[in-house]
């Protein structure tokens, strides 16, 4: 059902509040904060949230390694800018899945994820009935239960689709198997029919769908069973943490005798196109180009061995260390096959890096700030990297343009985008 007349459901004061929900994180905290600052947030319903006091805070005070590990884990769920009074935390919908994942129980992790998402959705529906009406802002994979619940049938339902359509990934995965099967792990599987069916239910029950990039929206438009879904789509770029990544000096020129330092950040696996990048760097002289790879391993380790003499593999890098790592490089490269819109792209731009990335990677470079490849490909990637090594003036101009363009991905711009979306939808 498409919500047609939201004004009939306006709350006191003429403004409808919005309930944001996601059992994990994604960018739900940023969305909730934008709505809070706009005076529109009813609550954020989530699984784990670090708030002052409470049982979890007391557990963190346990001496020794257990307390430290609890503190480190919960720090990932802290978001001090959010008013704790506007957060509803339900650990039962997220904690079991995380425990199963840490123990390596893949099947249980997937099952608990599905059960937790459904449970949170039903809880949100009860809250809408008891305290609302509220408009809903949910995220892909966790919105099917709430959006399809009869108690939410008469309120606006915004689906934040953070990844391209799974059927596109199934096609890409088949292509990778044809040419680079050795780079895949047994865990690399296509999206199941059941998962795609849940996605279709979310598309169908949502009154509006926002995506982080034109590419992600295009895949939903192309693969959705109902052509009417296309009329629900719009693009809302994700915000970049300018406080962490911005504010640095303008990039300095790179001497002709200095190698261009390329950087890859993300899961080191076939989905992110690491095989294309390593094939590309092997084509370039070491005197011209160096490559650093930062991120957790997601491919057989043996596949990296032939490149270890000229590529620096750092493994996972802490978020607090990432800005300095980026500023020590010149170009971020992300030849990804499947994303929603990789936030590492605007983070790199704010740090003064030019970009080379695939269109599937999401919103990143303009023609002035980098090179966008239509598809991930080792030969084309090598050509793009070589062109920047050969033309240092172009590279310098791209780095300066990237830093300037990154302002458009600030949180203030994201908040304004949320406000514009609500105004356009008359919510």
């Amino acid at each position: 059902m498409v919500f047609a007349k939201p004004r009939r459901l306006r709350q006191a004061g003429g403004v409808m509040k919005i309930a944001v929900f996601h059992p994990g994180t994604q960018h739900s905290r940023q969305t909730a904060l934008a709505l809070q600052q706009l005076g529109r947030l009813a609550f954020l319903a989530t699984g784990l949230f670090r708030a002052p006091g409470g049982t979890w805070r007391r557990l963190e005070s346990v001496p020794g390694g257990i307390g430290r590990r609890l503190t480190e884990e919960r720090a990932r769920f802290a978001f001090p800018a959010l008013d704790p009074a506007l957060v509803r935390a339900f650990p039962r919908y997220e904690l079991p899945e995380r425990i199963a994942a840490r123990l390596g129980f893949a099947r249980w992790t997937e099952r608990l994820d599905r059960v937790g998402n459904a449970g949170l959705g039903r809880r949100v529906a009860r809250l809408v009935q008891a305290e609302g009406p509220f408009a809903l802002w949910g995220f892909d994979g966790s919105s099917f239960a709430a959006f399809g619940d009869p108690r939410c049938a008469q309120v606006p339902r915004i689906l934040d689709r953070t990844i391209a359509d799974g059927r596109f990934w199934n096609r890409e995965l088949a292509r990778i198997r044809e040419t680079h099967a050795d780079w895949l792990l047994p865990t690399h599987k296509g999206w199941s029919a059941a998962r795609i069916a849940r996605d279709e239910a979310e598309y169908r029950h949502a009154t509006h769908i926002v995506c982080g990039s034109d590419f992600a929206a295009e895949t939903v438009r192309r693969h959705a069973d109902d052509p009417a879904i296309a009329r629900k789509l719009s693009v809302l770029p994700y915000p970049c943490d300018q406080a962490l990544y911005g504010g640095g000096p303008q990039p300095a020129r790179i001497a002709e005798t200095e190698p261009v330092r390329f950087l890859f950040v993300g899961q080191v696996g076939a989905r992110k196109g690491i095989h294309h990048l390593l094939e590309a760097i092997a084509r370039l002289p070491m005197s011209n180009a160096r490559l650093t790879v930062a991120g957790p391993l997601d491919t057989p380790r043996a596949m990296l061995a032939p490149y270890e003499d000229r590529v620096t593999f750092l493994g996972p890098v802490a978020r607090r260390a990432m800005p300095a790592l980026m500023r020590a490089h010149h170009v971020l490269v992300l030849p990804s096959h499947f994303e929603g819109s990789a936030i590492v792209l605007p983070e790199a731009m704010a740090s003064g890096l030019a970009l080379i990335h695939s269109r599937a990677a999401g919103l990143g470079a303009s023609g002035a700030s980098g090179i966008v490849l239509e598809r991930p490909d080792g030969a084309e990637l090598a050509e793009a990297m070589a062109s920047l090594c050969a033309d240092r003036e172009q590279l310098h101009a791209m780095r300066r343009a990237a830093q300037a363009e990154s302002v458009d991905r600030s949180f203030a711009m994201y908040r304004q985008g949320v406000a514009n979306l609500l105004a356009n939808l008359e919510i």
Side-chain angles (χ1 to χ4, degrees):
M1 172 181 175
V2 176
F3 184 80
K5 298 180 180 180
R7 287 179 176 173
R8 292 182 180 178
L9 295 175
R10 295 285 171 92
Q11 294 171 326
V15 175
M16 174 173 268
K17 300 282 187 177
I18 294 95
V20 180
F21 65 101
H22 190 290
T25 52
Q26 287 286 0
H27 58 277
S28 60
R29 271 71 170 157
Q30 288 84 356
T31 304
L33 179 60
L35 291 167
Q36 174 183 299
Q37 294 180 353
L38 294 169
R40 302 296 302 275
L41 181 64
F43 57 79
L44 167 66
T46 189
L48 300 173
F49 187 79
R50 186 179 187 181
T55 302
W56 277 94
R57 184 63 177 168
R58 290 193 294 273
L59 287 174
E60 290 176 16
S61 65
V62 173
I66 294 177
R68 284 196 304 273
R69 285 194 292 273
L70 284 171
T71 299
E72 292 169 359
E73 182 69 16
R74 280 201 77 219
R76 299 172 56 203
F77 301 95
F79 204 87
L82 267 179
D83 181 356
L86 295 176
V87 178
R88 314 284 181 89
F90 304 104
R92 74 187 71 174
Y93 302 127
E94 178 71 2
L95 191 56
E97 175 198 343
R98 290 190 172 272
I99 292 173
R102 288 296 178 91
L103 295 175
F105 299 149
R107 288 187 179 181
W108 275 102
T109 299
E110 183 177 349
R111 184 177 301 176
L112 289 168
D113 176 66
R114 185 171 62 252
V115 170
N117 289 343
L120 181 62
R122 289 190 292 269
R123 175 61 68 93
V124 168
R126 289 199 295 273
L127 292 171
V128 168
Q129 183 183 49
E131 303 177 19
F134 304 126
L136 295 181
W137 191 305
F139 293 76
D140 55 279
S142 60
S143 297
F144 58 92
F147 283 7
D149 194 295
R151 291 169 289 192
C152 300
Q154 297 301 314
V155 300
R157 301 173 299 281
I158 298 171
L159 174 65
D160 203 319
R161 180 76 193 182
T162 63
I163 193 72
D165 189 276
R167 285 159 287 198
F168 177 82
W169 170 236
N170 287 352
R171 189 184 69 183
E172 289 297 288
L173 182 59
R175 287 177 172 173
I176 294 170
R177 289 194 190 283
E178 289 178 359
T179 59
H180 294 82
D182 290 347
W183 291 83
L184 296 171
L185 293 168
T187 53
H188 293 150
K189 298 178 181 178
W191 288 24
S192 68
R195 185 174 181 180
I196 291 170
R198 288 194 296 274
D199 285 349
E200 281 290 343
E202 290 180 341
Y203 297 164
R204 185 171 63 255
H205 289 298
T207 58
H208 194 75
I209 304 170
V210 294
C211 297
S213 70
D214 295 308
F215 182 84
E218 178 185 311
T219 66
V220 173
R221 186 179 298 111
R222 185 190 313 164
H223 292 286
D225 289 344
D226 184 355
I229 298 300
R231 295 195 295 270
K232 301 181 181 183
L233 288 164
S234 64
V235 174
L236 180 63
Y238 303 144
C240 165
D241 189 344
Q242 288 282 334
L244 186 62
Y245 291 94
Q250 289 189 344
R253 294 182 181 276
I254 307 170
E256 293 292 337
T257 56
E258 181 183 1
V260 175
R261 295 190 293 275
F262 295 92
L263 175 66
F264 171 96
V265 175
Q267 283 191 327
V268 184
R271 181 173 76 84
K272 298 279 189 178
I274 190 63
H275 49 299
H276 301 303
L277 178 53
L278 295 179
E279 290 171 353
I281 195 67
R283 295 170 180 243
L284 304 180
M286 289 187 67
S287 58
N288 285 354
R290 302 287 173 83
L291 173 63
T292 302
V293 173
L297 190 63
D298 192 39
T299 196
R301 185 172 296 276
M303 302 307 296
L304 306 184
Y307 306 94
E308 289 178 341
D309 61 337
R310 65 161 307 169
V311 177
T312 301
F313 294 100
L314 297 179
V317 173
R319 178 173 171 78
R320 63 182 177 274
M322 191 58 70
L325 177 65
M326 286 190 172
R327 286 192 290 270
H329 290 80
H330 306 132
V331 185
L332 181 92
V333 188
L334 187 64
S336 185
H337 284 266
F338 184 65
E339 302 283 348
S341 190
I343 196 63
V344 71
L345 298 178
E347 290 172 348
M349 295 172 74
S351 302
L353 278 71
L355 301 181
I356 300 175
H357 64 88
S358 59
R359 199 164 73 89
L363 291 181
S366 69
S369 55
I371 300 172
V372 180
L373 305 177
E374 186 63 25
R375 283 196 49 78
D377 178 83
E380 291 186 16
L381 186 57
E383 183 178 345
M385 295 168 71
S387 71
L388 296 187
C389 292
D391 191 340
R392 303 303 172 94
E393 284 300 318
Q394 180 191 30
L395 175 53
H396 182 65
M398 283 184 169
R399 295 179 70 199
R400 295 193 65 175
Q403 197 171 47
E405 290 172 11
S406 72
V407 177
D408 292 337
R409 301 292 293 277
S410 68
F411 180 77
M413 294 296 289
Y414 176 73
R415 182 181 60 221
Q416 186 59 51
V418 170
N420 293 343
L421 175 71
L422 297 177
N424 291 337
L425 297 177
E426 298 185 314
I427 298 176

